[in-house]
Amino acid sequence: MKIHEYQAKGLLAKYSVPVPRGEVCFTPDEAESAAKALGGKVVVKAQIHAGGRGKGGGVKLAHSVDEAVERTKQILGMTLITHQTGPEGRLVKRVLVEEQLPIAKEFYLGITLDRATGKNVVMASSEGGVEIEEVAAHSPEKILKEPLEPGLGLGAYQARKLAFGIGIPAASVNAAVATMQALVKAYDAYDCSLAEINPLILTGDGRVVALDAKVTLDDNALFRHKDLLELRDFEEEDPLEVEASKFSLNYIKLDGNVACMVNGAGLAMATMDIIKYAGGSPANFLDVGGGANADQIKNAFRILLSDPSVKAVLINIFGGILRCDVLATGVVNAARELGFKIPVVVRMEGTNVEEGKKILVESGFNFMVADGMKDAAEKVVAVAQ
């Protein structure tokens, strides 16, 4: 679950990560009050779930209260387009009005899971303010890493190694060490999958401050953090993805016209690949899971068909926990209730596969039953075109 910058800073501040003074505002009047309280010299930052806001015009400096109000009027209501939003952009409905700080140097600090080692890893770089992917591509030697042993956190010696390695002045190393350790504690406490400060700044008077913050919470751990559920902003998420989550369906919208319904993330990835190989383009990633029932299948169909770009549906199921006859029954029931007209290609193997195929053939609907994944992909791409 992604959250806004101001929410991320609020969480990190509870663990003593130093952040600028600021206030989230939904109207120019609120921005005026916030700017007055902060002394007039502020930064107005659009709050959307995407990076690159500054390049898109969503971050503006203001040197007075009146200028802060004007900047807020410019940003609120704009459709902000960045490299992460796609060409459709995101509508800005709130801004963070924050004090300006004297920046002497910018750094990068982040924590995420290193899947190669199976451990969380702290990353730091002297190249703050730059997308970490760009640093990794062009100057990988400038990214320093320290693995975290489970239950031990970040040792002071590790933090000092990172601080000196990225060029933190000796007088500010202790502050940097404290900030790094505080970030690790917050990351663990909130069950994050990503915590990123870019930039982490050194001020003119030697302070270390998180000028920006990005936090992603692990959905699978939210049952332990009921209080964090209120931070979810449904308006920043794709409506179909929100709807799918209500039925425990893993759905991600894509740009193609062939809808995919699959059980198992690996099979879903292979299905999207083979659709591309056959000359088509997948419209989504949809994993109904191994234990899906007929009702979930129906809702999955409803969500797939809510996408107007979908011209055909490929169902690719391996019948293990989800039996093929249960899938076929769900598909037929969905066809009767939803009355859809677009072509449906079904490839299934596994438990009760013959019963499943019989249910489809005798349903009265024109389902195309494929013989293998290659045949399924070729059929669905042909009918989608």
Side-chain angles (χ1 to χ4, degrees):
M1 184 178 83
K2 294 181 179 179
I3 60 177
H4 289 290
E5 174 195 356
Y6 74 93
Q7 296 169 325
K9 285 178 173 174
L11 295 181
L12 297 183
K14 292 180 180 179
Y15 281 82
S16 300
V17 175
V19 300
R21 294 180 300 138
E23 186 175 333
V24 63
C25 302
F26 296 84
T27 67
D29 288 343
E30 291 179 356
E32 181 179 16
S33 297
K36 286 179 179 177
L38 295 170
K41 196 174 182 180
V42 297
V43 185
V44 182
K45 309 173 77 173
Q47 297 296 285
I48 61 170
H49 288 177
R53 293 168 295 163
K55 294 179 182 178
V59 178
K60 296 182 182 294
L61 296 175
H63 300 285
S64 68
V65 173
D66 290 341
E67 194 175 357
V69 173
E70 187 60 32
R71 295 285 185 255
T72 301
K73 289 179 179 178
Q74 293 170 0
I75 295 175
L76 280 178
M78 75 180 294
T79 298
L80 183 55
I81 299 174
T82 79
H83 66 285
Q84 291 186 8
T85 64
E88 69 279 4
R90 295 276 177 82
L91 180 65
V92 181
K93 296 185 177 181
R94 65 193 82 185
V95 297
L96 174 60
V97 177
E98 197 169 68
E99 65 175 331
Q100 288 188 33
L101 293 174
I103 302 173
K105 183 73 173 70
E106 296 184 350
F107 305 91
Y108 171 90
L109 180 64
I111 312 172
T112 193
L113 175 66
D114 182 349
R115 296 185 183 277
T117 63
K119 298 177 182 178
N120 289 313
V121 60
V122 179
M123 299 176 292
S125 175
S126 58
E127 301 297 301
V130 179
E131 295 292 331
I132 195 64
E133 293 83 3
E134 292 184 22
V135 181
H138 300 109
S139 306
E141 74 282 358
K142 293 184 178 180
I143 301 177
L144 307 183
K145 300 179 181 180
E146 282 294 323
L148 299 176
E149 295 298 331
L152 297 182
L154 181 69
Y157 73 96
Q158 292 177 295
R160 283 195 296 271
K161 181 180 176 182
L162 291 173
F164 281 116
I166 63 176
I168 299 283
S172 300
V173 164
N174 286 342
V177 167
T179 298
M180 293 178 186
Q181 291 182 314
L183 182 64
V184 170
K185 289 178 182 178
Y187 179 91
D188 287 338
Y190 295 122
D191 286 308
C192 301
S193 57
L194 173 71
E196 189 175 64
I197 298 174
N198 191 20
L200 176 74
I201 66 164
L202 180 70
T203 66
D205 56 0
R207 288 180 293 150
V208 175
V209 183
L211 198 63
D212 197 358
K214 179 180 180 181
V215 167
T216 303
L217 304 169
D218 186 348
D219 292 346
N220 296 309
L222 285 174
F223 71 93
R224 291 202 289 256
H225 305 280
K226 302 295 186 183
D227 56 318
L228 299 182
L229 291 173
E230 64 185 27
L231 302 181
R232 187 176 181 183
D233 185 353
F234 291 100
E235 294 180 344
E236 285 291 314
E237 301 178 33
D238 185 279
L240 293 180
E241 293 180 16
V242 173
E243 183 69 12
S245 68
K246 297 177 182 177
F247 303 100
S248 300
L249 300 170
N250 296 310
Y251 174 90
I252 299 173
K253 189 181 183 312
L254 302 173
D255 296 329
N257 63 359
V258 177
C260 310
M261 184 190 300
V262 189
N263 66 330
L267 184 58
M269 297 297 290
T271 301
M272 292 191 294
D273 284 346
I274 203 166
I275 288 172
K276 292 289 287 186
Y277 185 76
S281 183
N284 65 272
F285 171 102
L286 175 60
D287 175 11
V288 298
N293 54 41
D295 190 53
Q296 282 179 301
I297 299 297
K298 181 187 73 175
N299 283 303
F301 252 111
R302 181 173 56 79
I303 290 165
L304 292 179
L305 298 176
S306 297
D307 182 353
S309 64
V310 169
K311 304 302 179 186
V313 177
L314 171 57
I315 301 174
N316 189 8
I317 297 293
F318 177 78
I321 300 173
L322 173 58
R323 304 194 321 263
C324 292
D325 58 324
V326 172
L327 168 79
T329 300
V331 170
V332 172
N333 290 341
R336 287 177 180 147
E337 289 191 38
L338 301 175
F340 55 83
K341 304 294 183 183
I342 67 173
V344 177
V345 178
V346 183
R347 177 263 180 182
M348 59 173 69
E349 294 293 344
T351 308
N352 294 352
V353 62
E354 295 305 324
E355 291 91 330
K357 289 180 178 179
K358 183 178 179 181
I359 290 170
L360 293 176
V361 171
E362 296 178 354
S363 67
F365 295 99
N366 188 26
F367 296 120
M368 288 176 276
V369 180
D371 182 19
M373 285 179 63
K374 183 174 183 291
D375 181 50
E378 292 172 348
K379 278 185 167 66
V380 78
V381 169
V383 295
Q385 293 173 346

